[in-house]
Amino acid sequence: MRYNLAIENEEVRYSTQASQGSQELIESMSENLQGPTFAVTTLGCKVNQADSEAISDQMNAAGFAQRDFEESADIYIVNTCTVTHLGDRSSRQLIAQAHRRHPDALLVVTGCYAELNPKAVSALPGVNLVIGNTIKEGLVSTIREKILEQETGESQDITTASATESSSEPAARRSLPVLPLDTQHIGSDNALNFQVQEEEPQADNPALLTPFTDNVQTSELANHRMFSRTRVQMKVQDGCDNRCTYCIVPYVRGKSRSRSIEAVVENVQRKARAGYQEIVLTGIHLGDYHPDADEKLDLGDLIATLLRETEIPRIRVSSLEPEDFQLEWLEMWADPRMCRHLHLPMQSGSDAILRRMARRYNSDRYRIIVKTAKRLVPGMAISTDIITGFPGETDEDFELTYQLAQELEFAKSHVFRFSPRQGTPAARMRDQIKDVVKKARSQRLLDLHEEHSRQFREQFLGQEVPVLIEQFKHGKWEGLTDNYIRVEVNELPENAEGWQHTVVKARLNSLIGDGVHGTYAQ
């Protein structure tokens, strides 16, 4: 059956009572339906992955049966991105794939592309529901209502909303429902309304060995089920108050807001009991974490509380903006539970370009952070993002970027050629750089990255290190060290239950791809 639901932006607000009523409806219907199947696919950053994991959790709890996105399913959910036109295109491709695979399936589109341009998304062939970010927390209930509409033959208007269209109530004031304790929040707690995350632009040097990525969701990983008990992406902050001139994110995510420390601790405790070995603290502007809008409390307070009140074996911090980073936070990395990995976007080594980007730090500040982190935390992996070919970038500006990257020797550099995003100030700037120049500059940075990445991994060869096993691929078990070295572990003994979600000791022997070949040592 083909649905065609128009997406409008009207007032939508969910109270705690309404949420509980929806949950009761879901649970009641789960007893009567024979478990329709669903599949979720994701484009975007770690925050988006966290949202899709939460969607999967809630769909499973509601009685739906999960399938791989490449399999036939009754319901397809495409969690989209929109930072670049490439993100839009990839989103459309996944939507088309789902429609071709099962034309009669219920096709649900959510995420940033759905938020930014709901009319265009709703016009795509096969699309039945477009769920805006602002009400994404009601996605499962909306799907149930649509199924009821199909079964009863009654026409029901299901109104959704998006932050990018007009509304009589500001999006920042809409609240998430309070979900049962055994259900993962799609957003956060009732003080943090949900705005879906952005997709990062595609780097020129994606990961090779495994589908684990820092920012970019690969199509392979996007098509896998989200049943991992290894790590969980824990969204603690959403939205952004910055206005970097190349970024569309603030326009589709709304203002910065944070989850309470108590809610995060409670959720991490539950995940630890469920068998997760690692949490990744994520957010659109994670360094702007201030629970309950209390500027006196910050990310450092959250981490300290998690170390004190939870027993999760590993705590990893995702991307942090340099202007937010406080050097005193590094003292907490003395605890071995803190993963020795920081992702600090540099973007440019030229202060003039950083100003054109509206970044809120300079190259000296960035240099101090990286060097101090490496000095205080031995073995610390620093990864970064670099944009080359930004409008107005001269040869001298690029050389400053190259020299700073050469000096700081990043463990991983994501190199991006500037791509204008319609609707951003940078797309309208003069002095756009020719593609041939962007390509040449990008290649120099890629060559430097290869050298530094190899040197970083080589220093650990011969050592025995803990590896958190993630998956079995091509006949080998693969996992990550705490400082983000990807390890292919050989000679693991037979294990009836497998080795996934287990921390093992591995001796690092040689480099392979963008990772390391190791052998079981314990």
Side-chain angles (χ1 to χ4, degrees):
M1 180 177 180
R2 175 77 179 276
Y3 304 92
N4 188 5
L5 183 65
I7 304 305
E8 303 294 341
N9 182 30
E10 303 292 342
E11 285 189 58
V12 178
R13 189 168 187 169
Y14 292 89
S15 66
T16 300
Q17 291 79 9
S19 171
Q20 291 171 341
S22 298
Q23 185 65 26
E24 290 171 0
L25 172 64
I26 291 173
E27 293 173 351
S28 174
M29 295 182 64
S30 296
E31 297 177 357
N32 299 320
L33 291 177
Q34 299 300 313
T37 58
F38 78 98
V40 181
T41 189
T42 312
L43 293 101
C45 66
K46 290 178 179 178
V47 183
N48 211 22
Q49 297 171 36
D51 295 330
S52 290
E53 289 173 5
I55 290 171
S56 296
D57 281 353
Q58 293 192 12
M59 290 290 286
N60 279 300
F64 296 94
Q66 190 163 5
R67 297 289 183 267
D68 286 340
F69 187 73
E70 293 179 344
E71 298 175 350
S72 180
D74 299 314
I75 304 164
Y76 290 103
I77 303 170
V78 182
N79 198 358
T80 63
C81 60
T82 192
V83 160
T84 70
H85 66 283
L86 296 177
D88 293 351
R89 184 176 65 186
S90 298
S91 297
R92 292 192 296 268
Q93 289 173 344
L94 287 174
I95 293 167
Q97 288 175 19
H99 181 51
R100 287 195 301 268
R101 190 170 298 118
H102 191 173
D104 293 328
L106 183 69
L107 181 50
V108 182
V109 182
T110 188
C112 278
Y113 185 36
E115 177 69 39
L116 185 67
N117 201 344
K119 292 182 180 178
V121 173
S122 64
L124 294 174
V127 173
N128 310 127
L129 292 172
V130 181
I131 308 296
N133 293 335
T134 313
I135 64 159
K136 191 175 181 180
E137 70 280 358
L139 182 146
V140 179
S141 297
T142 304
I143 289 174
R144 280 297 197 197
E145 291 172 14
K146 195 61 181 177
I147 292 175
L148 273 178
E149 178 183 336
Q150 177 186 12
E151 292 185 340
T152 62
E154 297 179 0
S155 176
Q156 301 179 17
D157 290 331
I158 304 174
T159 304
T160 64
S162 64
T164 54
E165 303 208 8
S166 62
S167 174
S168 58
E169 180 182 6
R173 294 180 58 190
R174 298 194 179 100
S175 297
L176 282 178
V178 177
L179 299 174
L181 291 182
D182 59 351
T183 304
Q184 182 177 348
H185 292 265
I186 297 178
S188 296
D189 60 11
N190 62 340
L192 171 62
N193 83 302
F194 178 66
Q195 304 280 351
V196 77
Q197 65 301 314
E198 83 283 9
E199 182 199 18
E200 297 290 338
Q202 177 65 49
D204 285 353
N205 54 330
L208 301 176
L209 180 61
T210 72
F212 309 139
T213 58
D214 288 303
N215 292 310
V216 180
Q217 180 78 24
T218 65
S219 58
E220 180 177 6
L221 183 55
N223 292 335
H224 277 65
R225 299 178 192 174
M226 300 173 187
F227 290 148
S228 172
R229 289 297 178 206
T230 303
R231 70 158 57 91
V232 61
Q233 311 288 340
M234 183 72 64
K235 185 169 73 173
V236 302
Q237 184 277 339
D238 204 346
C240 183
D241 295 335
N242 288 351
R243 289 295 184 270
C244 297
T245 57
Y246 54 83
C247 185
I248 198 71
V249 174
Y251 305 99
V252 295
R253 298 208 59 108
K255 292 183 177 297
S256 177
R257 59 248 185 247
S258 303
R259 189 176 188 180
S260 68
I261 290 179
E262 293 78 11
V264 177
V265 168
E266 182 181 60
N267 206 353
V268 171
Q269 289 172 338
R270 294 202 309 270
K271 295 305 179 183
R273 291 195 297 269
Y276 286 92
Q277 298 295 307
E278 180 181 312
I279 60 162
V280 184
L281 301 178
T282 66
I284 296 306
H285 187 177
L286 182 60
D288 195 37
Y289 176 83
H290 296 291
D292 304 320
D294 187 346
E295 293 296 323
K296 295 180 181 179
L297 296 176
D298 58 26
L299 184 64
D301 296 292
L302 174 62
I303 295 173
T305 305
L306 291 174
L307 289 172
R308 184 173 61 251
E309 298 184 13
T310 75
E311 297 182 355
I312 195 79
R314 283 185 176 184
I315 299 174
R316 190 180 299 276
V317 178
S318 64
S319 183
L320 288 172
E321 297 300 324
E323 69 266 21
D324 303 315
F325 195 88
Q326 299 182 34
L327 294 178
E328 55 265 29
W329 290 350
L330 291 169
E331 296 177 3
M332 291 181 288
W333 267 259
D335 191 312
R337 294 164 61 196
M338 293 298 297
C339 293
R340 297 170 298 165
H341 171 227
L342 290 173
H343 186 77
L344 299 168
M346 182 179 84
Q347 306 302 15
S348 177
S350 164
D351 291 343
I353 295 299
L354 289 174
R355 287 192 295 271
R356 287 176 66 87
M357 291 178 171
R359 302 291 283 176
R360 299 191 299 172
Y361 56 90
N362 58 30
S363 57
D364 285 340
R365 161 83 175 163
Y366 189 87
R367 179 183 288 106
I368 289 171
I369 294 172
V370 173
K371 289 194 170 184
T372 303
K374 288 186 174 184
R375 176 171 56 83
L376 295 181
V377 187
M380 174 71 84
I382 305 291
S383 57
T384 196
D385 297 334
I386 302 176
I387 298 174
T388 187
F390 191 81
E393 183 185 64
T394 64
D395 290 341
E396 292 75 15
D397 291 324
F398 174 74
E399 286 303 321
L400 289 172
T401 297
Y402 185 88
Q403 290 167 16
L404 186 56
Q406 188 174 47
E407 175 186 354
L408 297 181
E409 298 183 344
F410 297 108
K412 173 71 175 178
S413 299
H414 299 278
V415 179
F416 303 89
R417 280 176 269 176
F418 173 75
S419 175
R421 186 60 171 101
Q422 185 177 359
T424 64
R428 302 188 298 270
M429 287 181 177
R430 297 179 179 179
D431 300 323
Q432 297 285 330
I433 307 301
K434 294 181 179 179
D435 287 342
V436 64
V437 175
K438 293 180 188 178
K439 184 175 181 180
R441 291 174 179 174
S442 172
Q443 189 58 55
R444 286 190 63 194
L445 290 171
L446 291 174
D447 292 342
L448 185 65
H449 156 72
E450 290 296 326
E451 176 186 352
H452 288 166
S453 173
R454 174 179 50 78
Q455 291 174 351
F456 178 77
R457 288 173 287 144
E458 281 180 341
Q459 67 181 302
F460 299 100
L461 295 182
Q463 296 184 17
E464 293 183 2
V465 299
V467 177
L468 178 56
I469 300 298
E470 295 269 339
Q471 65 175 349
F472 188 76
K473 183 180 179 183
H474 302 316
K476 307 290 184 181
W477 287 102
E478 297 179 359
L480 289 176
T481 66
D482 76 297
N483 58 349
Y484 224 64
I485 297 176
R486 308 167 190 218
V487 182
E488 180 182 276
V489 183
N490 292 270
E491 300 180 13
L492 280 169
E494 291 292 330
N495 186 338
E497 298 182 357
W499 287 95
Q500 194 173 12
H501 325 311
T502 304
V503 177
V504 303
K505 277 288 188 68
R507 182 179 180 83
L508 305 186
N509 299 322
S510 59
L511 305 187
I512 176 174
D514 59 352
V516 173
H517 175 280
T519 53
Y520 179 67
Q522 178 178 308

